Amino acid sequence: VEVGAVVDGWLHFMDHPLFGNVKGARPGEYMEVGQRIRCWVSGVDIDMKRLKLTANRPEDLPGPRRELRKRTDDDNDDDE
């Protein structure tokens, strides 16, 4: 996961919010490489120099929950 930090981010498939919706589903059935997701830092691994991420919104996080807006081709037309 690229988070714009100096270190890498790591998201385990079990930390994806769709994990467990379909019993026995393989990770590739509900997530894919390059998929845009909203995630939160759940831990820091100093030895591995990476952030442990979760895509499950922390329950104690204040404020409203906002869904990701799906990107469209129009989002890339800033030059026009």
Side-chain angles (χ1 to χ4, degrees), residues 8-9 11 14-16 39 43 55 63 71:
D8 291 331
L11 175 71
M14 292 178 76
D15 288 324
H16 193 283
C39 58
R71 296 182 104 184

Side-chain angles (χ1 to χ4, degrees), residues 42-53:
S42 63
V44 177
D45 186 336
I46 294 177
D47 294 332
M48 296 289 289
K49 296 182 180 176
R50 66 181 179 190
L51 304 173
K52 183 174 185 314
L53 306 172

Side-chain angles (χ1 to χ4, degrees), residues 26-44:
R26 298 174 52 89
E29 294 178 39
Y30 56 87
M31 61 192 289
E32 60 188 53
V33 174
Q35 178 183 9
R36 186 175 177 208
I37 60 166
R38 183 179 308 270
C39 58
W40 293 266
V41 175
S42 63
V44 177

Side-chain angles (χ1 to χ4, degrees), residues 57-65:
R57 186 177 194 273
E59 301 220 356
D60 59 345
L61 188 68
R65 180 184 177 129

